[in-house]
Amino acid sequence: MKTLAELQAIRDKMRQQIDLRDASDDRIRVVVGMATCGIAAGARPVLNALLEEVNKRDLKNVTVSQTGCIGVCRLEPIVEVYVPGQEKVTYVKMTPEKVASIVSEHLVNGRVVEEYTIGAAE
Amino acid sequence: MKEIALYALDIAQNSITANASRLDLTLLETPEAITLTLADTGKGMSPELLARVSDPFTTTRTTRKMGMGLPLLRMAVEQTGGSLTIESTEGVGTTVTALFHPTHIDCPPVGDMGDTITLLIQGAPQLELRYTHTVDEACFQLTTEEIRAQLGPELSLAEPEIILWLKDYLQEQEMLLREHKGMKA
């Protein structure tokens, strides 16, 4: 059985790591559409998979966040990736299975997974 | 939507958009009714907006003319013979109460409330959230205040490591509630 007191151990570990974080200017932002359309289409497991993958790979320069309706409801779940200095990349019809390759290819190695982008879907 | 937990996640986004500082999310399960209540301290609605809010062609956002969250929830509860009540006072907050009849064939399952709560915290780590889930006589409660008391002020609740720990913690607690329900049945 877990207890909330276990969070103190996480806090102590994270306090040591906090200085290792990159400056906010060069962080990669990954944004998941979590409006009605996104949630109904399956955004919750996609966001979960992203958080798990980013944590597993210990990607300190990546921020995962949520937003409202991105505007192309029929292509939800949608994930947008903002790499500083580069054009935004929009991944559509996302699934938890697609998340692993986007994290390893795009977020780690810097190669856009073209086949999952809005350009390939349209 | 396939789960009541997904409706909860969706309707809670309205509270966040309404700049709520507090949100009380309560799920009460009895053999006769499943009642989901979201009470926030957001900016509230005017009586005119409140009268139209279940209309899918009503929304406060300016980018599009549709808002499907509350109409979908109303449809889901009414399909089970239940009801949706919305009370709101401008400048004070809004309370949405959705009552499902669990014995009706169209009643969706409660689903993964643990996932819903953790992602709600991840999306709005500054929100004061109180989550209460009661199944018959068994009750579980979690507040972001008690999480912050353990973590201290400098860490964001949205950190993936914290979120994933909370997810496991909530799954364990939700499972205990389910087991309690199973034992009764």
Side-chain angles (χ1 to χ4, degrees):
Chain A
M1 276 285 290
K2 286 181 182 295
T3 63
L4 285 180
E6 288 173 39
L7 284 168
Q8 290 175 9
I10 296 177
R11 175 195 66 194
D12 296 342
K13 191 176 136 207
M14 289 183 77
R15 271 183 182 157
Q16 290 166 358
Q17 293 174 343
I18 219 153
D19 299 335
L20 301 174
R21 298 233 165 220
D22 295 354
S24 57
D25 299 355
D26 51 355
R27 291 178 72 80
I28 297 173
R29 280 199 314 126
V30 182
V31 181
V32 183
M34 290 294 283
T36 309
C37 47
I39 294 170
R44 192 180 66 174
V46 169
L47 176 55
N48 255 325
L50 266 168
L51 289 168
E52 272 171 29
E53 201 66 27
V54 165
N55 191 54
K56 195 166 79 187
R57 290 175 169 269
D58 206 14
L59 301 178
K60 300 267 180 258
N61 64 330
V62 175
T63 308
V64 180
S65 56
Q66 303 177 23
T67 188
C69 179
I70 292 167
V72 213
C73 306
R74 68 200 157 84
L75 296 177
E76 292 278 359
I78 297 177
V79 172
E80 295 179 323
V81 176
Y82 297 85
V83 179
Q86 294 179 22
E87 208 174 327
K88 171 184 78 177
V89 176
T90 304
Y91 291 108
V92 299
K93 294 187 177 177
M94 282 295 295
T95 60
E97 292 71 34
K98 290 180 179 174
V99 165
S101 62
I102 288 171
V103 171
S104 63
E105 285 299 306
H106 194 168
L107 304 189
V108 177
N109 294 319
R111 289 191 295 261
V112 175
V113 188
E114 296 288 348
E115 60 177 308
Y116 301 154
T117 60
I118 192 164
E122 289 291 80
Chain B
M1 306 226 186
K2 292 175 181 163
E3 303 173 3
I4 293 175
L6 289 175
Y7 286 106
L9 181 59
D10 183 28
I11 300 304
Q13 307 291 337
N14 295 345
S15 302
I16 296 164
T17 311
N19 297 322
S21 56
R22 281 192 62 93
L23 172 64
D24 275 19
L25 198 162
T26 312
L27 186 64
L28 172 64
E29 291 184 66
T30 66
E32 297 78 34
I34 300 175
T35 312
L36 171 71
T37 310
L38 293 105
D40 73 35
T41 58
K43 59 185 170 192
M45 288 181 272
S46 64
E48 295 76 37
L49 178 59
L50 185 58
R52 291 183 287 121
V53 78
S54 290
D55 176 354
F57 297 102
T58 291
T59 183
T60 52
R61 63 182 168 192
T62 50
T63 46
R64 273 168 292 284
K65 289 182 177 148
M66 285 171 291
M68 299 299 285
L70 283 167
L72 277 176
L73 178 58
R74 181 179 289 281
M75 190 180 74
V77 293
E78 287 181 355
Q79 272 179 345
T80 74
S83 59
L84 182 74
T85 335
I86 308 162
E87 292 161 41
S88 189
T89 310
E90 232 170 340
V92 177
T94 301
T95 301
V96 175
T97 308
L99 189 147
F100 294 85
H101 283 301
T103 50
H104 196 286
I105 194 165
D106 285 332
C107 186
V110 167
D112 197 335
M113 282 305 292
D115 258 15
T116 283
I117 297 301
T118 45
L119 294 185
L120 198 51
I121 294 173
Q122 199 267 340
Q126 73 293 344
L127 183 71
E128 289 292 339
L129 176 71
R130 175 190 299 270
Y131 166 58
T132 313
H133 189 172
T134 308
V135 179
D136 301 323
E137 297 91 41
C139 180
F140 165 70
Q141 189 172 77
L142 179 73
T143 66
T144 46
E145 194 182 358
E146 58 186 340
I147 300 169
R148 278 195 203 94
Q150 301 291 338
L151 287 172
E154 71 266 40
L155 285 178
S156 165
L157 300 193
E159 291 288 345
E161 196 170 351
I162 296 170
I163 287 298
L164 292 171
W165 186 91
L166 281 174
K167 188 181 154 191
D168 288 346
Y169 173 72
L170 276 158
Q171 260 165 7
E172 217 172 69
Q173 298 295 327
E174 291 287 323
M175 204 183 292
L176 284 175
L177 278 179
R178 296 273 143 239
E179 280 172 13
H180 172 85
K181 194 179 181 183
M183 279 195 309
K184 274 205 75 184

